[in-house]
Amino acid sequence: PVVAATGRNTTNTLTDFHARRKRTPLQSERELAIGEVIPGSRYRALAKLGEGGMGVVYAAEHVDIEKRVALKLLHADLLENQHVLQQFRQEARAASRIGNPYICDVTDWGEVADGRVFFVMEYLDGASLSREIKRCRRLPTDRAIPILRQVAKALGAAHQKGIVHLDVKPDNVLLIEKDGRRDYVKVVDFGIAGLLGQAGIGGKVMGTPEYMAPERTMGGGNDRRSDIYALGAMAYEMLAGEVPFQGLTAVETLAMHATDPPDPINERITKSIPKALEDVVMRMLEKDPLSRPQTMAEVEALLCEAQL
Protein backbone atom coordinates (compact mmCIF):
# COMPACT_ATOMS: atom_id res chain seq x y z
CA PRO A 1 0.00 0.00 0.00
CA VAL A 2 0.97 3.63 -0.42
CA VAL A 3 2.05 5.10 2.90
CA ALA A 4 0.89 8.64 3.61
CA ALA A 5 2.77 9.01 6.87
CA THR A 6 4.48 11.99 8.45
CA GLY A 7 7.79 11.73 10.26
CA ARG A 8 8.00 12.54 13.95
CA ASN A 9 7.47 16.14 14.79
CA THR A 10 8.70 18.09 17.79
CA THR A 11 5.57 20.02 18.66
CA ASN A 12 5.45 21.52 22.11
CA THR A 13 2.41 23.78 22.50
CA LEU A 14 -1.36 23.58 22.23
CA THR A 15 -1.30 25.11 18.76
CA ASP A 16 1.13 22.52 17.46
CA PHE A 17 -1.52 19.82 17.74
CA HIS A 18 -3.25 21.45 14.79
CA ALA A 19 -0.21 22.99 13.08
CA ARG A 20 1.84 20.06 11.85
CA ARG A 21 3.61 21.47 8.83
CA LYS A 22 4.74 24.95 7.80
CA ARG A 23 2.82 26.20 4.81
CA THR A 24 2.82 29.29 2.59
CA PRO A 25 -0.73 30.74 2.68
CA LEU A 26 -2.42 31.50 -0.60
CA GLN A 27 -2.56 35.19 -1.48
CA SER A 28 -6.32 34.84 -1.92
CA GLU A 29 -6.84 33.38 1.54
CA ARG A 30 -7.71 36.03 4.08
CA GLU A 31 -6.90 35.64 7.71
CA LEU A 32 -9.67 36.23 10.20
CA ALA A 33 -9.78 39.79 11.48
CA ILE A 34 -8.49 39.74 15.04
CA GLY A 35 -10.86 41.34 17.51
CA GLU A 36 -13.83 41.18 15.16
CA VAL A 37 -16.81 38.84 15.02
CA ILE A 38 -16.59 36.28 12.23
CA PRO A 39 -19.46 37.20 9.86
CA GLY A 40 -22.37 34.81 10.13
CA SER A 41 -21.14 33.34 13.41
CA ARG A 42 -21.26 33.98 17.15
CA TYR A 43 -17.47 33.90 17.51
CA ARG A 44 -14.89 36.67 17.75
CA ALA A 45 -11.33 35.85 16.64
CA LEU A 46 -8.82 36.72 19.39
CA ALA A 47 -5.47 35.50 18.08
CA LYS A 48 -3.94 33.24 15.48
CA LEU A 49 -2.41 30.30 17.28
CA GLY A 50 -0.86 28.29 14.48
CA GLU A 51 -1.11 26.93 10.96
CA GLY A 52 -0.75 23.48 9.45
CA GLY A 53 -1.24 21.60 6.24
CA MET A 54 -5.00 21.35 6.70
CA GLY A 55 -5.98 24.58 8.39
CA VAL A 56 -5.39 27.50 10.72
CA VAL A 57 -6.19 27.53 14.44
CA TYR A 58 -7.41 30.65 16.23
CA ALA A 59 -8.19 31.48 19.80
CA ALA A 60 -11.73 32.83 19.80
CA GLU A 61 -14.61 33.57 22.13
CA HIS A 62 -18.36 33.14 21.97
CA VAL A 63 -19.72 36.68 21.82
CA ASP A 64 -22.79 35.98 23.97
CA ILE A 65 -21.36 33.95 26.82
CA GLU A 66 -17.73 35.16 26.46
CA LYS A 67 -16.41 31.61 26.60
CA ARG A 68 -12.96 31.10 25.14
CA VAL A 69 -12.68 28.40 22.48
CA ALA A 70 -10.28 27.19 19.81
CA LEU A 71 -11.44 27.49 16.21
CA LYS A 72 -9.95 25.38 13.40
CA LEU A 73 -10.45 26.84 9.92
CA LEU A 74 -9.85 24.75 6.78
CA HIS A 75 -7.55 26.23 4.11
CA ALA A 76 -9.41 27.64 1.11
CA ASP A 77 -7.44 25.65 -1.44
CA LEU A 78 -8.59 22.40 0.14
CA LEU A 79 -12.30 23.01 -0.25
CA GLU A 80 -12.37 21.26 -3.63
CA ASN A 81 -10.58 18.21 -2.23
CA GLN A 82 -13.44 16.00 -1.13
CA HIS A 83 -11.14 13.59 0.69
CA VAL A 84 -9.61 16.38 2.80
CA LEU A 85 -13.02 17.92 3.44
CA GLN A 86 -14.32 14.52 4.56
CA GLN A 87 -11.27 14.09 6.80
CA PHE A 88 -11.84 17.54 8.33
CA ARG A 89 -15.49 16.75 9.02
CA GLN A 90 -14.50 13.33 10.36
CA GLU A 91 -12.22 14.94 12.94
CA ALA A 92 -15.04 17.18 14.18
CA ARG A 93 -17.69 14.46 14.19
CA ALA A 94 -15.51 11.81 15.79
CA ALA A 95 -14.48 13.93 18.77
CA SER A 96 -18.01 15.25 19.25
CA ARG A 97 -19.58 11.82 18.94
CA ILE A 98 -17.39 10.24 21.61
CA GLY A 99 -18.09 12.83 24.31
CA ASN A 100 -15.47 11.71 26.82
CA PRO A 101 -13.83 13.97 29.44
CA TYR A 102 -10.37 12.81 28.32
CA ILE A 103 -11.00 13.85 24.70
CA CYS A 104 -10.91 17.44 23.42
CA ASP A 105 -14.57 18.25 22.83
CA VAL A 106 -15.89 19.71 19.57
CA THR A 107 -18.90 21.95 20.16
CA ASP A 108 -19.82 23.65 16.89
CA TRP A 109 -19.39 23.80 13.12
CA GLY A 110 -19.68 26.75 10.76
CA GLU A 111 -18.66 28.50 7.57
CA VAL A 112 -17.10 31.88 6.80
CA ALA A 113 -18.21 34.15 3.95
CA ASP A 114 -15.71 32.78 1.39
CA GLY A 115 -16.95 29.21 1.92
CA ARG A 116 -14.20 27.98 4.23
CA VAL A 117 -15.49 25.70 6.96
CA PHE A 118 -14.45 25.60 10.59
CA PHE A 119 -15.18 23.71 13.75
CA VAL A 120 -15.06 24.93 17.31
CA MET A 121 -13.47 23.00 20.16
CA GLU A 122 -12.69 23.56 23.80
CA TYR A 123 -9.71 25.79 24.46
CA LEU A 124 -7.01 23.92 26.35
CA ASP A 125 -3.98 25.50 27.97
CA GLY A 126 -1.28 22.93 28.49
CA ALA A 127 1.78 21.14 27.14
CA SER A 128 1.91 18.16 24.84
CA LEU A 129 3.19 14.85 26.12
CA SER A 130 5.89 15.04 23.44
CA ARG A 131 7.14 18.25 25.03
CA GLU A 132 7.28 16.59 28.44
CA ILE A 133 9.19 13.62 27.05
CA LYS A 134 11.61 16.00 25.37
CA ARG A 135 12.03 17.94 28.62
CA CYS A 136 12.35 14.94 30.96
CA ARG A 137 13.50 12.30 28.44
CA ARG A 138 12.07 9.58 30.68
CA LEU A 139 8.93 9.96 32.76
CA PRO A 140 8.97 8.28 36.18
CA THR A 141 6.61 5.33 36.45
CA ASP A 142 4.41 7.04 39.06
CA ARG A 143 3.75 9.78 36.51
CA ALA A 144 3.66 7.67 33.35
CA ILE A 145 1.08 5.12 34.50
CA PRO A 146 -1.71 7.61 35.39
CA ILE A 147 -1.21 9.35 32.03
CA LEU A 148 -1.39 6.04 30.17
CA ARG A 149 -4.51 5.00 32.08
CA GLN A 150 -6.30 8.21 31.10
CA VAL A 151 -5.33 7.78 27.44
CA ALA A 152 -6.60 4.20 27.61
CA LYS A 153 -9.92 5.47 28.99
CA ALA A 154 -10.20 8.02 26.17
CA LEU A 155 -9.41 5.51 23.44
CA GLY A 156 -11.64 2.90 25.03
CA ALA A 157 -14.55 5.35 24.88
CA ALA A 158 -13.79 5.97 21.20
CA HIS A 159 -13.68 2.25 20.48
CA GLN A 160 -17.04 1.76 22.15
CA LYS A 161 -18.45 4.26 19.64
CA GLY A 162 -16.88 2.31 16.79
CA ILE A 163 -14.02 4.79 16.23
CA VAL A 164 -10.30 4.04 16.15
CA HIS A 165 -7.90 6.98 16.42
CA LEU A 166 -5.19 5.63 14.07
CA ASP A 167 -2.61 8.27 15.07
CA VAL A 168 -1.96 7.72 18.77
CA LYS A 169 1.32 9.43 19.71
CA PRO A 170 2.66 11.93 22.29
CA ASP A 171 1.96 14.89 20.00
CA ASN A 172 -1.75 14.06 20.20
CA VAL A 173 -1.90 13.93 23.99
CA LEU A 174 -2.25 17.23 25.82
CA LEU A 175 -1.53 17.53 29.54
CA ILE A 176 -3.45 20.24 31.38
CA GLU A 177 -4.15 21.19 34.97
CA LYS A 178 -7.74 20.69 36.05
CA ASP A 179 -9.26 21.10 39.50
CA GLY A 180 -5.79 21.28 41.00
CA ARG A 181 -4.73 18.06 39.32
CA ARG A 182 -1.75 18.11 36.98
CA ASP A 183 -1.31 15.77 34.01
CA TYR A 184 -5.01 15.67 33.24
CA VAL A 185 -5.16 14.13 29.76
CA LYS A 186 -6.91 15.43 26.67
CA VAL A 187 -6.55 13.32 23.52
CA VAL A 188 -6.77 15.36 20.31
CA ASP A 189 -6.67 15.04 16.53
CA PHE A 190 -9.11 12.43 15.29
CA GLY A 191 -8.46 13.67 11.75
CA ILE A 192 -7.67 10.21 10.32
CA ALA A 193 -9.93 8.28 12.65
CA GLY A 194 -11.76 5.39 11.04
CA LEU A 195 -14.47 2.93 11.83
CA LEU A 196 -13.51 -0.31 13.52
CA GLY A 197 -12.37 -2.86 10.96
CA GLN A 198 -12.13 -0.31 8.13
CA ALA A 199 -9.08 -0.49 5.88
CA GLY A 200 -6.90 2.49 4.96
CA ILE A 201 -8.52 5.45 3.20
CA GLY A 202 -8.24 5.21 -0.57
CA GLY A 203 -5.71 2.39 -0.33
CA LYS A 204 -3.36 4.57 1.74
CA VAL A 205 -2.03 3.84 5.20
CA MET A 206 -2.11 7.09 7.17
CA GLY A 207 -0.40 7.77 10.45
CA THR A 208 3.03 8.26 12.01
CA PRO A 209 5.61 5.52 11.34
CA GLU A 210 7.11 5.38 14.83
CA TYR A 211 3.77 4.30 16.34
CA MET A 212 2.17 2.30 13.54
CA ALA A 213 1.03 -1.27 14.19
CA PRO A 214 2.53 -4.00 11.97
CA GLU A 215 -0.82 -4.99 10.48
CA ARG A 216 -1.35 -1.41 9.34
CA THR A 217 2.07 -1.17 7.66
CA MET A 218 1.13 -4.24 5.62
CA GLY A 219 -2.26 -2.88 4.56
CA GLY A 220 -4.33 -4.84 7.07
CA GLY A 221 -7.54 -3.71 8.69
CA ASN A 222 -7.65 -1.05 11.40
CA ASP A 223 -9.25 -2.12 14.64
CA ARG A 224 -8.88 -1.26 18.31
CA ARG A 225 -5.76 -3.41 18.60
CA SER A 226 -3.92 -1.06 16.23
CA ASP A 227 -4.50 1.74 18.76
CA ILE A 228 -3.34 -0.62 21.53
CA TYR A 229 -0.06 -1.18 19.69
CA ALA A 230 0.40 2.56 19.16
CA LEU A 231 -0.27 3.20 22.84
CA GLY A 232 2.36 0.56 23.63
CA ALA A 233 4.88 2.37 21.42
CA MET A 234 4.05 5.63 23.18
CA ALA A 235 4.37 3.99 26.60
CA TYR A 236 7.73 2.57 25.57
CA GLU A 237 8.93 6.04 24.63
CA MET A 238 7.67 7.53 27.90
CA LEU A 239 9.54 4.93 29.95
CA ALA A 240 12.67 4.37 27.83
CA GLY A 241 13.15 7.87 26.48
CA GLU A 242 13.06 6.62 22.89
CA VAL A 243 10.64 4.87 20.57
CA PRO A 244 11.00 1.10 20.09
CA PHE A 245 11.89 1.47 16.40
CA GLN A 246 13.57 4.34 14.58
CA GLY A 247 14.90 3.73 11.07
CA LEU A 248 16.73 6.15 8.82
CA THR A 249 13.59 6.56 6.73
CA ALA A 250 9.86 6.20 7.30
CA VAL A 251 9.79 3.04 5.16
CA GLU A 252 12.63 1.51 7.19
CA THR A 253 10.83 2.32 10.44
CA LEU A 254 7.63 0.67 9.15
CA ALA A 255 9.61 -2.41 8.12
CA MET A 256 11.10 -2.67 11.61
CA HIS A 257 7.62 -2.62 13.13
CA ALA A 258 6.61 -5.45 10.83
CA THR A 259 9.62 -7.73 11.39
CA ASP A 260 11.92 -6.76 14.28
CA PRO A 261 11.28 -7.69 17.92
CA PRO A 262 11.52 -4.66 20.24
CA ASP A 263 14.27 -4.60 22.83
CA PRO A 264 12.98 -5.03 26.39
CA ILE A 265 12.76 -1.60 28.00
CA ASN A 266 15.11 -2.51 30.84
CA GLU A 267 17.83 -3.37 28.31
CA ARG A 268 17.82 0.23 27.06
CA ILE A 269 17.87 2.09 30.37
CA THR A 270 20.20 2.22 33.36
CA LYS A 271 17.55 2.64 36.06
CA SER A 272 15.11 -0.21 35.56
CA ILE A 273 11.33 -0.05 35.71
CA PRO A 274 9.20 -2.70 37.46
CA LYS A 275 9.10 -5.96 35.49
CA ALA A 276 5.29 -6.04 35.71
CA LEU A 277 5.06 -2.69 33.88
CA GLU A 278 7.61 -3.70 31.29
CA ASP A 279 5.64 -6.88 30.61
CA VAL A 280 2.43 -4.89 29.97
CA VAL A 281 4.13 -2.60 27.45
CA MET A 282 5.91 -5.43 25.66
CA ARG A 283 2.66 -7.35 25.39
CA MET A 284 1.00 -4.33 23.78
CA LEU A 285 3.81 -4.37 21.21
CA GLU A 286 3.25 -7.95 20.07
CA LYS A 287 3.30 -8.32 16.29
CA ASP A 288 0.23 -10.53 16.26
CA PRO A 289 -2.88 -8.54 17.27
CA LEU A 290 -4.29 -11.67 18.94
CA SER A 291 -1.33 -11.71 21.35
CA ARG A 292 -1.97 -8.17 22.57
CA PRO A 293 -4.55 -7.10 25.15
CA GLN A 294 -7.81 -7.09 23.21
CA THR A 295 -9.45 -3.97 24.64
CA MET A 296 -8.44 -0.70 26.26
CA ALA A 297 -10.29 -1.81 29.38
CA GLU A 298 -7.91 -4.77 29.59
CA VAL A 299 -4.95 -2.44 29.03
CA GLU A 300 -6.07 -0.20 31.87
CA ALA A 301 -6.63 -3.18 34.17
CA LEU A 302 -3.09 -4.43 33.45
CA LEU A 303 -1.69 -0.96 34.11
CA CYS A 304 -3.59 -0.86 37.41
CA GLU A 305 -2.06 -4.20 38.43
CA ALA A 306 1.39 -2.96 37.49
CA GLN A 307 0.79 0.26 39.43
CA LEU A 308 -0.21 -1.69 42.53
Side-chain angles (χ1 to χ4, degrees), residues 214-242:
E215 65 272 15
R216 297 199 62 223
T217 70
M218 296 182 287
N222 307 313
D223 66 22
R224 60 176 63 90
R225 295 168 300 183
S226 299
D227 278 354
I228 288 171
Y229 183 95
L231 182 59
M234 189 177 82
Y236 192 107
E237 184 179 11
M238 293 167 67
L239 297 166
E242 55 191 14

Side-chain angles (χ1 to χ4, degrees), residues 91-107 122 153-161 163 184 186-187 190:
E91 180 177 353
R93 289 171 176 168
S96 179
R97 177 179 169 189
I98 298 164
N100 182 269
Y102 299 113
I103 292 175
C104 181
D105 191 26
V106 172
T107 58
E122 59 180 317
K153 287 178 184 290
L155 296 173
H159 295 168
Q160 288 178 355
K161 297 287 187 178
I163 297 168
Y184 190 96
K186 288 285 185 175
V187 177
F190 280 78

Side-chain angles (χ1 to χ4, degrees), residues 204-264:
K204 296 181 180 180
V205 178
M206 304 184 71
T208 306
E210 286 77 10
Y211 310 92
M212 193 175 292
E215 65 272 15
R216 297 199 62 223
T217 70
M218 296 182 287
N222 307 313
D223 66 22
R224 60 176 63 90
R225 295 168 300 183
S226 299
D227 278 354
I228 288 171
Y229 183 95
L231 182 59
M234 189 177 82
Y236 192 107
E237 184 179 11
M238 293 167 67
L239 297 166
E242 55 191 14
V243 291
F245 302 111
Q246 183 69 73
L248 296 177
T249 65
V251 173
E252 185 178 337
T253 300
L254 294 173
M256 294 169 74
H257 279 292
T259 60
D260 295 1
D263 296 331

Side-chain angles (χ1 to χ4, degrees), residues 56-93:
V56 186
V57 178
Y58 291 87
E61 70 174 0
H62 192 287
V63 294
D64 294 324
I65 59 177
E66 298 182 343
K67 180 179 180 180
R68 178 163 289 205
V69 296
L71 187 148
K72 186 171 183 178
L73 178 66
L74 186 68
H75 286 307
D77 60 322
L78 298 178
L79 289 174
E80 299 303 317
N81 187 323
Q82 290 302 309
H83 168 64
V84 172
L85 193 58
Q86 178 185 1
Q87 187 175 330
F88 191 75
R89 287 193 178 115
Q90 176 90 341
E91 180 177 353
R93 289 171 176 168

Side-chain angles (χ1 to χ4, degrees), residues 60-198:
E61 70 174 0
H62 192 287
V63 294
D64 294 324
I65 59 177
E66 298 182 343
K67 180 179 180 180
R68 178 163 289 205
V69 296
L71 187 148
K72 186 171 183 178
L73 178 66
L74 186 68
H75 286 307
D77 60 322
L78 298 178
L79 289 174
E80 299 303 317
N81 187 323
Q82 290 302 309
H83 168 64
V84 172
L85 193 58
Q86 178 185 1
Q87 187 175 330
F88 191 75
R89 287 193 178 115
Q90 176 90 341
E91 180 177 353
R93 289 171 176 168
S96 179
R97 177 179 169 189
I98 298 164
N100 182 269
Y102 299 113
I103 292 175
C104 181
D105 191 26
V106 172
T107 58
D108 203 358
W109 176 275
E111 183 176 317
V112 296
D114 61 7
R116 285 179 293 167
V117 293
F118 65 84
F119 64 78
V120 180
M121 52 196 162
E122 59 180 317
Y123 183 89
L124 302 171
D125 186 11
S128 68
L129 178 57
S130 63
R131 178 182 179 180
E132 286 302 286
I133 294 173
K134 183 178 180 180
R135 185 178 69 85
C136 303
R137 188 168 184 270
R138 290 181 54 206
L139 271 64
T141 56
D142 61 353
R143 188 180 181 197
I145 293 177
I147 292 173
L148 289 168
R149 287 182 58 191
Q150 292 175 79
V151 177
K153 287 178 184 290
L155 296 173
H159 295 168
Q160 288 178 355
K161 297 287 187 178
I163 297 168
V164 281
H165 190 287
L166 301 184
D167 201 19
V168 177
K169 58 184 177 182
D171 287 317
N172 287 337
V173 176
L174 184 66
L175 304 176
I176 66 172
E177 184 172 328
K178 183 175 181 180
D179 300 329
R181 172 186 174 183
R182 68 187 293 243
D183 287 344
Y184 190 96
V185 161
K186 288 285 185 175
V187 177
V188 303
D189 205 347
F190 280 78
I192 62 171
L195 299 178
L196 293 177
Q198 183 180 1

